[in-house]
Amino acid sequence: MSQTYLTTEELAERIKYDPRTIRNQLKDSVLLEGVHYFRPFGGRKILYVWEKIEADMFKAPSIDTVAMALQ
């Protein structure tokens, strides 16, 4: 299975988030190193694994599901 590696800017374009939001709010809270992204050759550059992110986006409960569970 081949994987699609994306830069922060490419990921931002796909999920319609600002790249700064990905870097400052999602990385290391929602997007986890070793699962959703990695640093090739131990460097500073980050590459995101699109297939892992896409799968987890659909796993997250929707707001309607959470609201119904609270009633």
Side-chain angles (χ1 to χ4, degrees):
M1 178 178 148
S2 68
Q3 295 182 325
T4 306
Y5 303 125
L6 304 172
T7 64
T8 303
E9 289 73 20
E10 291 168 332
L11 177 62
E13 192 173 304
R14 282 198 186 197
I15 65 173
K16 309 301 185 223
Y17 275 78
D18 189 278
R20 289 174 297 189
T21 302
I22 294 171
R23 284 188 207 100
N24 298 335
Q25 295 177 6
L26 299 180
K27 190 174 80 58
D28 297 327
S29 62
V30 175
L31 302 174
L32 306 173
E33 187 167 7
V35 177
H36 302 105
Y37 73 91
F38 66 99
R39 299 170 191 270
F41 311 110
R44 292 183 53 167
K45 182 153 190 84
I46 292 174
L47 291 178
Y48 294 90
V49 181
W50 171 244
E51 289 77 11
K52 298 280 188 176
I53 293 170
E54 185 178 40
D56 283 357
M57 284 188 338
F58 289 108
K59 282 184 192 174
S62 69
I63 294 172
D64 294 337
T65 304
V66 173
M68 291 177 67
L70 295 175
Q71 293 180 350

